[in-house]
Amino acid sequence: MFYFDNTVWRSDLLERGKVRHAFSTRMGGVSTLPHLKAMNCGFLRGDSDENVKENIRILCRLAGCSEN
């Protein structure tokens, strides 16, 4: 099953297998363009590289993994 963890969804099956993971939503990011608002993690959508990198950092922190 899945559960909502603040800004991301997680799978309890993956948690049991100790897999660091998170399924992003549009919530919790820094993007501001109307069609990308919040958690855009794609560099080719018209958002600034700085916003995309920060969104990726946020998502990795929430998933408990390194952004590398």
Side-chain angles (χ1 to χ4, degrees):
M1 291 291 157
F2 291 96
Y3 62 93
F4 190 67
D5 184 11
N6 189 14
T7 312
V8 296
W9 286 91
R10 296 181 184 272
S11 163
D12 57 349
L13 294 174
L14 292 173
E15 292 284 335
R16 281 186 237 147
K18 305 212 185 294
V19 176
R20 294 190 190 275
H21 70 286
F23 301 95
S24 66
T25 65
R26 295 181 71 126
M27 300 168 14
V30 298
S31 299
T32 58
L33 295 174
H35 68 292
L36 302 172
K37 204 160 201 167
M39 185 68 82
N40 171 46
C41 291
F43 287 102
L44 303 176
R45 303 290 313 258
D47 205 352
S48 72
D49 286 358
E50 294 79 26
N51 282 353
V52 174
K53 289 175 186 176
E54 181 60 21
N55 288 336
I56 292 170
R57 279 191 283 275
I58 292 168
L59 183 59
C60 289
R61 181 176 39 88
L62 291 169
C65 61
S66 166
E67 64 190 74
N68 294 326

